[in-house]
């Protein structure tokens, strides 16, 4: 399946390219970047390649997944964002991860809002969740700004996380 390319006000959302690998190896070696991604140590090359390649599989199997994010100012990769199918729970989560130079600018909120809208309007999802490490208050604010409400604590992958959710509202 061809991964659709989109633009938001400040971002380009596109498919993964093999030329992105070195950038993501560097990004995912930064302990500040990965501290809330449920990993304590830098991601090994095989894990980074597997994660990035899972994007295509998600699009093929579910009709959605995540995009590589580029900032329109420099046209370089800066992270990822989109939707992710959680096979164990059959839920769809909105996700995003940005490299440190792009933090605090509202870019995560921009991609989260776009992804939620895409999930409801294009994919036809009924509910989208967000999962946050409790200490990650910045990410919790992103989810709230994207329209998700706190449901409460929940366990995923053996971690105690905060679960947020938003349901599709049908206009009558």
């Amino acid at each position: 399946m061809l991964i659709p390319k989109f633009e938001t006000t400040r971002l380009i959302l596109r498919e993964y390219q093999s030329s992105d690998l070195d950038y993501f190896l560097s990004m995912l070696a930064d302990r500040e970047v990965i501290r809330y991604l449920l990993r304590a140590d830098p991601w090994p090359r095989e894990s980074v390649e597997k994660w990035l390649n899972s994007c295509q599989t998600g699009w093929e199997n579910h009709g959605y997944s995540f995009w590589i994010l580029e900032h329109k100012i420099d046209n370089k990769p800066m992270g990822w964002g989109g939707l992710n199918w959680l096979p164990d729970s059959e839920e769809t989560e909105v996700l995003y991860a940005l490299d440190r130079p792009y933090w605090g600018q509202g870019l995560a909120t921009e991609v989260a809002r776009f992804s939620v809208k895409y999930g409801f309007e294009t994919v036809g999802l009924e509910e989208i969740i967000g999962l946050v490490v409790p200490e990650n208050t910045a990410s919790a604010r992103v989810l709230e700004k994207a329209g998700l409400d706190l449901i409460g604590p929940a366990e995923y992958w053996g971690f105690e996380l905060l679960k947020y959710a938003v349901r599709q509202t049908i206009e009558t």
Side-chain angles (χ1 to χ4, degrees):
M1 174 180 190
L2 186 62
I3 297 173
K5 180 178 179 180
F6 293 100
E7 293 188 20
T8 64
T9 304
R10 299 176 291 165
L11 301 172
I12 297 168
L13 291 71
R14 63 163 174 82
E15 68 182 323
Y16 165 65
Q17 301 163 359
S18 59
S19 60
D20 297 329
L21 180 60
D22 287 340
Y23 177 83
F24 284 104
L25 285 168
S26 173
M27 176 183 154
L28 295 170
D30 182 334
R31 290 189 190 280
E32 278 298 300
V33 171
I34 65 172
R35 73 181 176 154
Y36 296 129
L37 297 179
L38 305 179
R39 290 200 118 156
D41 296 316
W43 291 24
R45 181 181 195 91
E46 307 79 46
S47 295
V48 175
E49 286 177 311
K50 183 178 179 183
W51 168 247
L52 292 170
N53 287 318
S54 75
C55 175
Q56 181 67 41
T57 306
W59 285 101
E60 290 170 0
N61 293 342
H62 305 290
Y64 61 87
S65 188
F66 61 92
W67 293 275
I68 301 304
L69 306 176
E70 285 184 8
H71 200 293
K72 286 183 177 179
I73 291 174
D74 60 17
N75 290 99
K76 294 180 181 174
M78 55 175 277
W80 65 74
L83 300 169
N84 186 40
W85 168 256
L86 302 177
D88 294 340
S89 65
E90 297 189 4
E91 295 170 297
T92 298
E93 101 178 288
V94 60
L95 57 84
Y96 41 85
L98 303 180
D99 203 358
R100 207 181 331 183
Y102 301 97
W103 291 359
Q105 300 173 41
L107 298 167
T109 300
E110 191 170 319
V111 73
R113 285 179 175 156
F114 179 87
S115 299
V116 168
K117 182 177 178 182
Y118 183 86
F120 289 146
E121 293 180 5
T122 303
V123 180
L125 297 172
E126 293 180 16
E127 181 180 61
I128 297 172
I129 68 164
L131 301 171
V132 179
V133 173
E135 298 79 29
N136 193 348
T137 55
S139 190
R141 282 193 304 275
V142 167
L143 292 175
E144 291 166 358
K145 289 178 185 176
L148 286 78
D149 296 313
L150 178 63
I151 303 300
E155 186 175 310
Y156 285 80
W157 312 289
F159 294 92
E160 188 73 23
L161 304 173
L162 294 179
K163 181 178 180 178
Y164 288 75
V166 61
R167 293 194 58 79
Q168 169 80 293
T169 54
I170 307 296
E171 303 281 328
T172 56

